[in-house]
Amino acid sequence: MSIKFFKGICYTLLITSNLAITSIGYARVSETSIHTAAQIAYSRAQQNNEGKNADYIPALAKVDPKLLGVSIVTADGTAINIGDYKTPFAIESISKVFTLALAMKDHNAKEVFDKIGTNPTGLPFNSVLAIEQNQTGKAAMNPLVNAGAIATTSLVKGNNAEEKYKRIVDIMSDFAGHRLSLNKEVYESEAATNQHNQAIAVLLQSYDRLYDDPFTTTDVYTKACSINITARDLAVMGSVLANNGINPITKKRLLTEEEVAHILAIMTMNGLYETSGDWLYWTGLPGKSGVGGGILAIAPGRMAIAVFSPPLDEAGNSVRGQQIVRDITRSLNLNMFNQAPPQY
C-alpha cells in the first residue's frame, strides 16, 4: 500500500468519524466499565519491565522508571485516574500536537499542509535523511517528526522568541484547563544537548523550509518540549480533541471541527513515528508519544487516554503506555475500524 493511499484512507476515516460524532454520537461507555478496564490494564502493565528511559537527555535519564500513571477523560468531562497520574513530567514531542493547533490558528490548514506536509517519513523522529530525500517540490515531512515540528514552530506568530513561547504555553494551558509551566531542569538539559535539532533547523533553512531564524526556532521548540504536565493534564488536553474541539472541563471551544479532523488525521499517520502503523494496527486510534514517557490516544467522540511511564522502546515510545492503551481499547471496543454501523 502506497503512503499516499494510506494517507487518503486515514483522512477519510477521520472525516467520517467526525461526521458521526456530530450527527449521531457513539454509544456511551459507563464510568464503571472504563475504570475496570483501566485498572486491569494498569495492573498488567506493572509487571512489564521492558524498555529504558531516554538517556540522550540527562534530565530524563534519571526519572524513576517505575512511575506509572493512567488518566482517562471522556468527551463529557468524566475523569478516571490511577497510579502516578499527578506526577509531573516533560511533555516532549506530544507538544507538537498543540504547536500544530496554534500554527493552524495563525495561518490555516491548507497553508500548514503546503509548507510542512503530512506524509509519514518511515524514518526515526530525528532523521536528517528525510529532509535530504525531499529537497524539492512540496514539503514531504509532517508536523509530528522533529524536522516538521521545528518548521511548524517557525510558523507560530510572534515578534520574538519569548512571545512565541508564551503563545504556545497559553494554548497548551487552555487545553489543560489551567496554567502550565516550564520544567527548567529538562529545558537546560535539552538546550545543552540539542545540536542535532539546531542542525536540522539550519538544513531546513537552506532548502527554504524554515520560516524564522533557525536558532530562535530551535530554542522555542526546545522550551515547548520542556513544559511540565501530568497524565491528568494530558488526558484533559486530549479530551478537547475527543470532544470536537471543546474542552469538556472549561466548556471553551479551542478548535473548529475541521481543525480537529486534520490534527487527528496527522496523529493517526504519524503519532508514533516509524511505528505508527504498528500502533494503528493494534489500537485503531490517533495517538502521540513523547520521550518523556507520555502517550496520548484519542477515541473520537468518546474519550482521551493518557499514560505516563518513562521506559521507552527503540522508536522512543512508552512501552507500558502502548500496552495499557491496547488493553483498554480492546476491553472497551474503541478501535475506530471496528465500530458497528448506526441504527436508524
Side-chain angles (χ1 to χ4, degrees), residues 71-81 173-178 231-254 304:
S71 184
I72 300 172
V73 175
T74 66
D76 66 4
T78 300
I80 292 89
N81 304 296
S173 298
D174 282 343
F175 272 82
H178 71 96
R232 161 72 176 176
D233 291 335
L234 186 56
V236 174
M237 295 166 84
S239 71
V240 177
L241 297 171
N243 193 37
N244 263 358
I246 298 173
N247 187 316
I249 307 300
T250 66
K251 311 303 180 185
K252 182 178 180 180
R253 176 168 286 282
L254 301 176

Side-chain angles (χ1 to χ4, degrees), residues 37-339:
Q39 186 62 61
I40 292 172
Y42 173 84
S43 298
R44 286 190 67 245
Q46 284 183 304
Q47 312 306 313
N48 188 341
N49 296 314
E50 296 178 8
K52 66 175 184 177
N53 290 27
D55 55 11
Y56 62 94
I57 300 172
L60 299 183
K62 64 182 185 180
V63 175
D64 184 355
K66 295 181 181 179
L67 290 169
L68 178 61
V70 180
S71 184
I72 300 172
V73 175
T74 66
D76 66 4
T78 300
I80 292 89
N81 304 296
I82 300 172
D84 302 307
Y85 68 92
K86 293 182 179 179
T87 301
F89 62 95
I91 190 171
E92 295 297 340
S93 284
I94 306 174
S95 67
K96 296 169 182 175
V97 172
F98 307 101
T99 301
L100 170 61
L102 181 56
M104 283 187 176
K105 290 293 185 186
D106 282 351
H107 303 275
N108 56 63
K110 185 179 185 305
E111 186 171 348
V112 172
F113 175 84
D114 289 340
K115 290 188 173 181
I116 308 300
T118 58
N119 286 329
T121 67
L123 295 168
F125 64 87
N126 60 352
S127 174
V128 174
L129 183 60
I131 305 171
E132 291 288 357
Q133 287 179 337
N134 298 283
Q135 299 174 10
T136 60
K138 183 178 176 296
M141 301 180 294
N142 69 74
L144 302 187
V145 295
N146 286 18
I150 290 169
T152 302
T153 302
S154 74
L155 289 174
V156 172
K157 291 181 179 180
N159 295 319
N160 50 51
E162 290 75 19
E163 190 172 315
K164 289 188 172 203
Y165 170 69
K166 181 182 182 301
R167 295 190 67 236
I168 292 174
V169 176
D170 287 346
I171 194 169
M172 287 191 191
S173 298
D174 282 343
F175 272 82
H178 71 96
R179 191 68 188 171
L180 300 177
S181 61
L182 183 71
N183 184 322
K184 292 183 179 179
E185 182 184 7
V186 170
Y187 167 65
E188 291 171 357
S189 183
E190 291 200 38
T193 58
N194 71 352
Q195 290 80 13
H196 188 89
N197 283 337
Q198 291 177 16
I200 286 175
V202 171
L203 186 59
L204 287 169
Q205 183 187 45
S206 74
Y207 292 131
D208 295 324
R209 301 285 185 81
L210 197 74
Y211 310 103
D212 198 359
D213 175 77
F215 299 104
T216 295
T217 299
T218 304
D219 185 56
V220 173
Y221 168 79
T222 302
K223 279 186 175 178
C225 290
S226 304
I227 292 171
N228 251 1
I229 58 169
T230 65
R232 161 72 176 176
D233 291 335
L234 186 56
V236 174
M237 295 166 84
S239 71
V240 177
L241 297 171
N243 193 37
N244 263 358
I246 298 173
N247 187 316
I249 307 300
T250 66
K251 311 303 180 185
K252 182 178 180 180
R253 176 168 286 282
L254 301 176
L255 297 170
T256 67
E257 292 181 5
E258 181 183 6
E259 288 165 344
V260 170
H262 288 309
I263 291 169
L264 291 180
I266 292 172
M267 290 173 68
T268 301
M269 292 184 287
N270 306 299
L272 274 76
Y273 310 119
E274 69 269 33
T275 63
S276 295
D278 298 337
W279 164 266
L280 191 61
Y281 185 88
W282 291 110
T283 69
L285 296 178
K288 186 68 195 84
S289 63
V291 296
I295 198 161
L296 174 66
I298 310 298
R302 306 178 93 175
M303 67 189 72
I305 306 168
V307 183
F308 168 53
S309 175
L312 312 176
D313 62 17
E314 291 184 359
N317 307 311
S318 172
V319 172
R320 288 182 291 188
Q322 292 176 84
Q323 178 185 331
I324 286 173
V325 174
R326 285 197 304 267
D327 286 352
I328 293 174
T329 299
R330 187 182 304 112
S331 296
L332 300 179
N333 191 31
L334 300 177
N335 189 317
M336 294 191 305
F337 296 93
N338 187 33
Q339 297 299 313

